[in-house]
Amino acid sequence: MSEPKILGQFQLEHRTIQVSGDDGNAGTVWLRRVHPDPPMALGCVVELDSPTPRLRLYRAEWPEGLRESAKEQTLAIWRAARD
């Protein structure tokens, strides 16, 4: 199994979040905090190709506004990578 391809990154408050995904898996990407240290896997966004993508966090509980912002920015990166 190959490593997921890095599609991009975005800022979410004080966090820098990296978005990665597999070329063959069009509907799911993984989120990883790369700053501040230590780097940590945050979760994934699934069903990107549907009208209602879902953010699944492994540990953190974020307020609804932060969750929506993360989904929107992830979706924009995913769409740009597909073009």
Side-chain angles (χ1 to χ4, degrees):
M1 187 169 148
S2 64
E3 286 291 312
K5 177 182 171 187
I6 296 171
L7 304 177
Q9 64 183 28
F10 62 91
Q11 291 295 128
L12 190 65
E13 292 184 334
H14 63 283
R15 306 164 192 88
T16 302
I17 300 184
Q18 184 179 75
V19 179
S20 60
D22 295 329
D23 292 333
N25 190 356
T28 301
V29 294
W30 291 268
L31 305 178
R32 178 175 176 81
R33 185 187 73 202
V34 293
H35 181 79
D37 284 332
M40 126 186 315
L42 294 176
C44 60
V45 179
V46 298
E47 301 175 12
L48 285 163
D49 47 359
S50 79
T52 54
R54 295 183 298 161
L55 173 64
R56 294 185 175 165
L57 298 174
Y58 299 141
R59 295 178 189 95
E61 284 301 322
W62 294 347
E64 189 62 31
L66 216 53
R67 294 175 68 87
E68 284 302 312
S69 179
K71 281 195 303 188
E72 289 170 10
Q73 292 183 71
T74 299
L75 190 55
I77 289 170
W78 177 73
R79 284 182 177 146
R82 293 186 67 188
D83 290 340

